[in-house]
Amino acid sequence: MNRIRLILTTAAMLWVASGEAQPSQLEANSEFMFKLELGYSPFVGNTGTADEEGYALQHQESAAGIDAVAGVNLYQDWFVGGGVGGQLFHNLTQHGVETKMGATVFADADYRPWRQSPSLLEKSTVAIMFAPLVGVRAGASALMGEEMKLSPMAEVYGGISWYYARGLRNTTLHRHSVYATLGVAYMQQTVFLPVRIGWRW
């Protein structure tokens, strides 16, 4: 009878200990992070049906922009967050085309499976690590003018991420990276090819 009690007591203690350890494991696998991006989005073409005044961007305007994103890095490979961006729509080849300001609000998610080089780790405490990067965005776009024009915004993108501090010993910077992406985006009845460089920290 004492043996059964000892087994049951030990099992209960292990169950409670595992339950207490779980939050710390979740905490270690997630980290609040920011992304800051600079980009340029060349014009590809207008889509859909124009209204009485034509398309909102009917002069083949491209966009220069900046984005700020805040979110959570999950289990090293995943990032989910939300962001805001500002755009300057312009056409450098056509004279007299009015420059327009725009803004976006969006949800952002990406996946980056990191890889490392064992040979570099053996030679140095710093390992240069690159990872493919794919992601999606969805939200809303506002085009400023005499009348604000709102439209849905969507984007898919891919690129490469460099974990510049992943191999440093005793550091909390191992998830920080610099990255470059190329994507396809839709907003204001227009398709763009956004090219971005960004910093995640």
Side-chain angles (χ1 to χ4, degrees), residues 155-175:
E155 179 181 340
V156 294
Y157 58 88
I160 188 165
S161 184
W162 172 42
Y163 291 88
Y164 57 85
R166 182 64 179 90
L168 293 176
R169 295 175 182 174
N170 302 320
T171 181
T172 59
L173 301 177
H174 62 283
R175 294 181 181 180

Side-chain angles (χ1 to χ4, degrees), residues 1-11:
M1 192 65 156
N2 288 335
R3 183 177 295 177
I4 294 174
R5 286 181 182 175
L6 178 62
I7 293 172
L8 292 175
T9 302
T10 303

Side-chain angles (χ1 to χ4, degrees), residues 101-174:
M101 299 289 294
T104 52
V105 178
F106 55 86
D108 178 46
D110 67 44
Y111 174 67
R112 311 160 322 281
W114 62 271
R115 299 290 181 265
Q116 68 184 20
S117 170
S119 61
L120 287 172
L121 281 172
E122 292 172 2
K123 296 177 182 178
S124 172
T125 58
V126 179
I128 301 174
M129 302 182 62
F130 294 92
L133 165 66
V134 293
V136 295
R137 287 182 177 176
S141 166
L143 186 64
M144 312 304 177
E146 294 181 1
E147 295 183 6
M148 182 182 294
K149 297 186 177 181
L150 297 174
S151 85
M153 169 261 185
E155 179 181 340
V156 294
Y157 58 88
I160 188 165
S161 184
W162 172 42
Y163 291 88
Y164 57 85
R166 182 64 179 90
L168 293 176
R169 295 175 182 174
N170 302 320
T171 181
T172 59
L173 301 177
H174 62 283

Side-chain angles (χ1 to χ4, degrees), residues 40-47 56-57 60-64 87-90 141 143 151 153-156 182-196:
Y40 191 77
S41 302
F43 173 90
V44 175
N46 297 118
T47 64
L57 299 170
Q60 301 182 5
E61 293 98 328
S62 296
Q87 298 83 36
L88 181 65
F89 295 96
H90 63 279
S141 166
L143 186 64
S151 85
M153 169 261 185
E155 179 181 340
V156 294
L182 171 64
V184 178
Y186 168 83
M187 59 183 167
Q188 299 296 336
Q189 292 186 299
T190 307
V191 177
F192 298 93
L193 291 178
V195 179
R196 294 192 181 94

Side-chain angles (χ1 to χ4, degrees), residues 54-77:
Y55 290 104
L57 299 170
Q58 58 185 332
H59 299 290
Q60 301 182 5
E61 293 98 328
S62 296
I66 183 170
D67 299 308
V69 185
V72 179
N73 200 81
L74 300 171
Y75 300 99
Q76 179 62 45
D77 296 343

